[in-house]
């Protein structure tokens, strides 16, 4: 559309006609233009929004557009529409109500007081909380606190989720209390909020508060408890995760998440726990003489990745022997080529010279993918010295023919 030579009124009429007659894509494009036309379009847009006989999709777009104006003029009409919202609304009507709430939230602090006043009206309380929860300002804390014990669990969960983002002293007791809520979604949001409050470690034993949630009846709550403990990065948190992973009653899917979270903690204690889990799991597989299932493979891979993820020199010195011990093991686990190539990859990341000889031996592996991962790892460890060491290795008279071919390939790839 070329607006350069048209009168403002004609432009507004043209755009509004397109909005009324266009399809979804056209309306989407029009919604990008309308805010640029200024206050002249506010009145006709508000008329469309308040017209209950108008097309619901068009009213949805109008509600979305109004939120982009950042004008207090639109607050009262939007609030009035929320007041008249019906709980037994159709799916399209609910979508419109949600968009009105989002638009009110986009207006910021100017919408807080009128939204707070809606909390006394049961039929529109949920939508008011949806809007308040999306306004990132501390002024919303007080109204949000009034509904943390609401009979509607959805409202409680929305309020707890929003409150968890505020570093305010009034929020902490509420989050701690919500850990015992009878509804899983509320407990989950409380766990997420507390997991972000590392500043509380000096005053509150967060591990003790969060640890019971590792054993929650709902797996989504357990997973969030695992993530929250991983963020704390303490030995106490590592111990709690280790105890959960070691329990025979915990499903393998949760064990997998627990191992992943242990790897994120990156302390000497968490590394020791990963090593113990790996040894115990490996022994169990050999004892049962079972083939490696997909979930078993995923668990072992996650353990190895966690061990190889560490970055400090001290932890790399601890992590490298753990992988090397597994690499020299004759168990059924090490026979899997995916495990071998992952170990080679992690040894390369750790970068310790002690891994060079074991990696060279892997160059004789029959699986080409393992050999290529070994070459890649060797390049990351003291590159020039390792290259020279490989050349010297070729001069050994007793060298295995397969190993010789592997070294020649590595040198050519270099």
């Amino acid at each position: 559309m070329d607006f350069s030579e048209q009168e403002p009124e004609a432009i507004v009429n043209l755009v509004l006609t397109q909005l009324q007659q266009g399809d979804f894509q056209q309306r989407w494009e029009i919604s990008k233009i309308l805010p640029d036309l200024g206050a002249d379009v506010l009145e006709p847009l508000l008329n469309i929004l308040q017209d209950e006989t108008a097309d619901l999709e068009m009213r949805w777009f109008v509600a979305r557009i109004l939120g982009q104006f950042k004008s207090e003029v639109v607050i009262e009409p939007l609030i009035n529409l929320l007041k008249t919202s019906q709980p037994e609304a159709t799916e399209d009507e609910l979508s419109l109500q949600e968009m009105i709430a989002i638009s009110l939230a986009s207006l910021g602090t100017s919408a807080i007081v009128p939204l707070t006043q809606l909390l006394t009206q049961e039929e529109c309380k949920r939508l008011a909380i949806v809007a308040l929860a999306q306004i990132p300002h501390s002024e919303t804390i007080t109204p949000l606190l009034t509904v943390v014990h609401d009979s509607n669990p959805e409202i409680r969960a929305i309020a707890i989720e929003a409150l968890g983002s505020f570093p305010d002293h009034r929020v902490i007791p509420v989050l701690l209390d919500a850990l015992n809520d009878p509804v899983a979604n509320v407990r989950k949001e409380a766990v997420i909020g507390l997991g972000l409050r590392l500043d509380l470690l000096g005053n509150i034993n967060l591990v003790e508060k969060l640890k019971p949630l590792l054993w929650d009846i709902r797996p989504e709550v357990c997973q969030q408890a695992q993530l929250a403990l991983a963020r704390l990065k303490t030995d106490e948190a590592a111990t709690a995760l280790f105890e959960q992973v070691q329990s025979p009653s915990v499903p393998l899917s949760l064990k997998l998440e627990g191992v992943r979270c242990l790897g994120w903690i990156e302390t000497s204690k968490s590394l020791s726990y990963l090593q113990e889990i790996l040894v115990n799991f490996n022994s169990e597989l050999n004892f049962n003489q079972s083939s490696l299932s997909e979930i078993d493979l995923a668990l072992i891979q996650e353990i190895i990745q966690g061990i190889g993820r560490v970055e400090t020199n001290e932890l790399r010195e601890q992590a490298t022997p753990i992988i090397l011990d597994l690499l020299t093991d004759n168990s059924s686990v090490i026979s899997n080529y995916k495990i071998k190539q992952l170990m080679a990859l992690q040894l390369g990341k750790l970068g310790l010279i002690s891994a060079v000889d074991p990696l060279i031996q892997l160059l004789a592996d029959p699986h080409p993918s393992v050999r290529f991962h070994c070459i890649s790892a060797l390049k990351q460890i003291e590159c020039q010295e390792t290259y020279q060491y490989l050349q010297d290795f070729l001069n050994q008279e007793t060298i295995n023919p397969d190993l010789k071919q592997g070294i020649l390939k590595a040198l050519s790839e270099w």
Side-chain angles (χ1 to χ4, degrees):
M1 296 182 184
D2 183 8
F3 295 151
S4 58
E5 297 181 359
Q6 298 187 48
E7 293 294 326
E9 186 178 350
I11 294 172
V12 170
N13 290 334
L14 174 61
V15 173
L16 290 175
T17 300
Q18 291 283 354
L19 182 66
Q20 291 172 325
Q21 297 178 356
D23 58 21
F24 186 91
Q25 185 59 41
Q26 290 167 329
R27 287 171 171 171
W28 186 270
E29 297 301 326
I30 289 293
S31 68
K32 300 175 184 178
I33 298 170
L34 273 165
D36 296 330
L37 300 182
D40 290 340
V41 296
L42 278 177
E43 185 177 351
L45 285 175
L46 287 169
N47 289 336
I48 294 172
L49 182 64
Q50 296 171 94
D51 183 1
E52 295 184 359
T53 65
D55 174 49
L56 279 172
E57 183 185 276
M58 181 172 64
R59 293 175 71 196
W60 183 91
F61 271 105
V62 170
R64 182 175 180 272
I65 293 164
L66 288 171
Q68 299 174 52
F69 277 89
K70 311 299 182 186
S71 170
E72 294 186 15
V73 174
V74 306
I75 292 178
E76 186 177 354
L78 291 174
I79 289 289
N80 288 336
L81 282 170
L82 284 191
K83 286 180 180 178
T84 58
S85 59
Q86 300 297 321
E88 65 277 5
T90 65
E91 185 176 340
D92 288 341
E93 289 169 338
L94 286 172
S95 180
L96 173 60
Q97 293 168 11
E98 295 281 353
M99 182 50 68
I100 291 171
I102 292 170
S103 293
L104 281 166
S106 70
L107 298 172
T109 54
S110 59
I112 293 176
V113 171
L115 284 168
T116 301
Q117 292 169 351
L118 291 183
L119 296 181
T120 59
Q121 302 181 32
E122 239 7 86
E123 62 276 7
C124 52
K125 184 192 292 186
R126 188 190 70 84
L127 290 168
I129 286 297
V130 168
L132 284 167
Q134 295 180 70
I135 301 175
H137 196 281
S138 59
E139 287 182 22
T140 62
I141 294 176
T142 298
L144 288 170
L145 286 172
T146 65
V147 297
V148 293
H149 296 112
D150 195 88
S151 59
N152 184 339
E154 184 182 2
I155 289 177
R156 297 202 303 274
I158 294 170
I160 292 296
E161 179 184 9
L163 288 167
S165 63
F166 292 109
D168 188 283
H169 69 279
R170 294 171 292 172
V171 171
I172 306 308
V174 173
L175 295 180
L176 292 172
D177 184 57
L179 292 176
N180 299 309
D181 195 279
V183 176
N185 201 35
V186 181
R187 298 195 300 274
K188 184 185 75 171
E189 296 302 339
V191 169
I192 294 172
L194 287 168
L196 298 173
R197 297 299 306 272
L198 303 185
D199 57 302
L200 299 175
L201 284 173
N203 302 316
I204 298 175
N205 190 337
L206 281 180
V207 174
E208 282 302 310
K209 301 294 184 183
L210 293 170
K211 188 162 64 171
L213 281 302
L214 288 173
W215 309 93
D216 197 274
I217 193 171
R218 297 295 293 270
E220 64 269 27
V221 178
C222 299
Q223 288 171 354
Q224 289 303 326
Q226 291 171 327
L227 291 168
L229 288 167
R231 292 190 191 100
L232 301 183
K233 290 186 176 294
T234 66
D235 285 344
E236 192 180 1
T239 301
L241 287 167
F242 174 70
E243 290 171 354
Q244 185 202 34
V245 171
Q246 288 291 82
S247 171
S249 63
V250 174
L252 276 173
S253 57
L254 276 179
K255 287 180 185 285
L256 185 63
E257 292 295 330
V259 163
R260 183 176 292 124
C261 289
L262 264 174
W264 289 337
I265 290 180
E266 293 188 55
T267 65
S268 177
K269 192 77 169 177
S270 66
L271 270 181
S272 298
Y273 284 144
L274 287 172
Q275 180 181 21
E276 187 171 343
I277 294 167
L278 184 60
V279 170
N280 292 343
F281 192 69
N282 192 13
S283 300
E284 182 182 327
L285 283 175
N286 287 329
F287 179 76
N288 294 327
Q289 296 182 337
S290 59
S291 58
L292 216 56
S293 68
E294 285 300 316
I295 191 68
D296 292 337
L297 177 62
L299 184 59
I300 296 168
Q301 287 175 315
E302 198 60 58
I303 295 172
I304 295 171
Q305 285 176 332
I307 294 170
R309 189 180 288 126
V310 296
E311 295 183 358
T312 66
N313 288 335
E314 181 183 357
L315 291 180
R316 287 192 296 155
E317 292 279 358
Q318 181 183 348
T320 300
I322 298 174
I323 298 179
L324 291 178
D325 285 346
L326 181 62
L327 192 59
T328 56
D329 194 352
N330 292 320
S331 66
S332 59
V333 170
I334 193 59
S335 64
N336 186 288
Y337 79 93
K338 291 182 179 179
I339 299 295
K340 285 191 280 189
Q341 68 186 31
L342 180 60
M343 286 192 292
L345 181 67
Q346 298 306 101
L347 287 170
K349 289 180 179 178
L350 291 169
L352 265 61
I353 198 71
S354 58
V356 170
D357 275 324
L359 283 170
I360 289 176
Q361 296 302 317
L362 267 187
L363 289 173
D365 193 272
H367 204 286
S369 177
V370 174
R371 298 196 298 272
F372 282 122
H373 277 76
C374 282
I375 295 169
S376 176
L378 287 165
K379 287 181 182 180
Q380 297 177 66
I381 304 174
E382 303 290 346
C383 187
Q384 292 302 320
E385 291 84 349
T386 302
Y387 182 82
Q388 184 60 50
Y389 187 65
L390 282 170
Q391 289 184 315
D392 295 341
F393 210 98
L394 282 175
N395 297 326
Q396 295 182 11
E397 295 181 0
T398 58
I399 188 171
N400 180 290
D402 291 334
L403 181 55
K404 183 175 183 179
Q405 289 299 316
I407 294 174
L408 288 170
K409 179 66 175 176
L411 292 171
S412 66
E413 287 289 329
W414 225 289

